[in-house]
Amino acid sequence: MEFILIGFSDVPGLQGFLFGMFLIIYLIILLGNSLIIIITKVDPSLQTPMYIFLGNFSFLEICYVSVTVPRLLTDLYRQNRNISFMACAIQMYFFLVLGATECFILTAMAYDRYVAICNPLLYPLIMNNKFCIQLVVGCWLIGVPVHIGFTYWIFSLPFCGHNLLNHFFCDIPPVLSLACGNTFMIEMLVYVIALLVVTIPFILILGSYMKIILTILKLPSATGRAKAFSTCSSHLMVVALFFGSGIITYLRPKSSHSVGTDKFLSLFYTVMTPMFNPMIYCLRNKDVTLALKKFLLRWIMF
């Protein structure tokens, strides 16, 4: 009927500290990503496909982190870690769908940069508003039907042992470890979905950036090369953070899984990466920095 999320109960002396730390991180994520959403909507200079994707990405980060962190904060505060079977399934479903959406949006952002740098004359024609909207909608919807069936299959397994879930949210590896019977087919499906949703987008992004880098190196102007690298570097850093931790978590052999490593990696891509993203985009992107300064000055003056 329910699971018990062990979370960080193995360090009882740090419960108050962890609650305060995760609360501050969550507020930073909400504030940072909300600011990016606002400035991409109100600043005329940011009404381009690149920043349409960035605004959607920031909104996605808020949704993504809100699937796990509020529940984690509640568990740390009240020391009651019970989660119903249905709530666990719903949490896993939204976590997987939003994670897949993040992979696809990062891929769409890489394609946008590829067209802008490698085919600048065709950029307005290819990346028109209609196509951008179609890409964004596709990124949000493509993972929905796949993960409905996948989550249903996982929670249709028999769970006949103990109900202690050694994690801070309902992720695939810890839930499968509690299932009875043969889980081989599910585990193979995890690899297949991870290949389709994580590995292939990652390879497409790397391929895009290899072509982008080769094109940038051919630019005659040092200023042009620096501006192009500056535009792409922030996105590439976010890709490395998110995909790196995701690939290690879901594609490494089952024999190498350990509770401590899984929790650390999960914290990295569910909490730390969404916190770093606004900082990376604001510090590495001059257009975003300038728009943010103008917005804050306007708000202070008002």
Side-chain angles (χ1 to χ4, degrees):
M1 295 298 293
E2 65 180 14
F3 295 107
I4 299 173
L5 292 166
I6 293 178
F8 299 99
S9 59
D10 51 345
V11 281
L14 292 177
Q15 301 296 292
F17 169 76
L18 290 173
F19 176 83
M21 182 182 72
F22 287 126
L23 178 61
I24 291 169
I25 289 173
Y26 186 51
L27 293 174
I28 290 171
I29 292 168
L30 294 180
L31 178 62
N33 284 290
S34 295
L35 277 174
I36 289 180
I37 293 168
I38 292 167
I39 61 174
T40 55
K41 289 291 184 185
V42 301
D43 195 292
S45 66
L46 301 184
Q47 303 301 309
T48 63
M50 176 182 176
Y51 297 108
I52 291 172
F53 288 126
L54 180 56
N56 269 272
F57 183 68
S58 295
F59 176 68
L60 172 64
E61 290 290 62
I62 291 173
C63 297
Y64 184 62
V65 79
S66 296
V67 172
T68 55
V69 175
R71 172 77 207 197
L72 173 59
L73 291 171
T74 303
D75 291 344
L76 287 169
Y77 180 75
R78 68 181 183 179
Q79 302 297 309
N80 178 14
R81 297 178 171 83
N82 294 12
I83 182 169
S84 71
F85 196 78
M86 181 58 71
C88 189
I90 291 170
Q91 185 185 50
M92 180 186 287
Y93 169 72
F94 280 105
F95 175 75
L96 294 175
V97 167
L98 293 172
T101 304
E102 183 150 350
C103 294
F104 298 140
I105 284 187
L106 286 171
T107 307
M109 292 170 78
Y111 178 70
D112 173 71
R113 291 299 83 208
Y114 164 76
V115 177
I117 293 171
C118 299
N119 297 290
L121 297 178
L122 295 176
Y123 182 75
L125 183 65
I126 297 173
M127 299 303 294
N128 56 66
N129 284 340
K130 182 181 177 182
F131 182 62
C132 286
I133 292 168
Q134 288 173 341
L135 269 181
V136 169
V137 172
C139 289
W140 279 95
L141 296 181
I142 196 168
V144 171
V146 175
H147 288 106
I148 287 176
F150 182 57
T151 307
Y152 177 78
W153 193 7
I154 289 176
F155 283 87
S156 296
L157 291 169
F159 292 90
C160 54
H162 67 82
N163 65 341
L164 297 175
L165 196 67
N166 202 349
H167 214 296
F168 62 91
F169 72 99
C170 293
D171 201 3
I172 296 171
V175 170
L176 281 183
S177 69
L178 299 184
C180 304
N182 189 359
T183 60
F184 176 76
M185 289 302 295
I186 286 274
E187 288 166 12
M188 288 301 100
L189 187 59
V190 170
Y191 283 108
V192 171
I193 292 177
L195 182 69
L196 294 174
V197 172
V198 181
T199 310
I200 291 177
F202 185 59
I203 291 170
L204 291 173
I205 291 170
L206 288 182
S208 298
Y209 272 99
M210 286 177 66
K211 291 188 176 182
I212 286 169
I213 290 168
L214 289 173
T215 303
I216 290 173
L217 292 175
K218 293 176 184 176
L219 292 175
S221 165
T223 306
R225 288 196 297 270
K227 185 177 180 181
F229 272 122
S230 175
T231 303
C232 296
S233 60
S234 54
H235 179 248
L236 204 52
M237 288 172 69
V238 170
V239 166
L241 285 170
F242 180 76
F243 278 96
S245 55
I247 288 171
I248 292 171
T249 300
Y250 291 104
L251 290 178
R252 74 185 196 275
K254 186 180 178 181
S255 58
S256 65
H257 281 250
S258 70
V259 174
T261 305
D262 285 350
K263 285 183 185 178
F264 174 76
L265 288 170
S266 297
L267 274 177
F268 199 79
Y269 67 79
T270 59
V271 179
M272 302 309 293
T273 303
M275 182 182 73
F276 288 134
N277 288 349
M279 300 178 190
I280 291 170
Y281 278 110
C282 288
L283 294 174
R284 301 289 301 176
N285 191 305
K286 292 180 181 178
D287 293 335
V288 174
T289 305
L290 184 61
L292 183 60
K293 286 178 180 176
K294 287 195 295 184
F295 173 77
L296 291 175
L297 283 172
R298 200 183 316 150
W299 186 76
I300 291 168
M301 294 295 290
F302 179 78

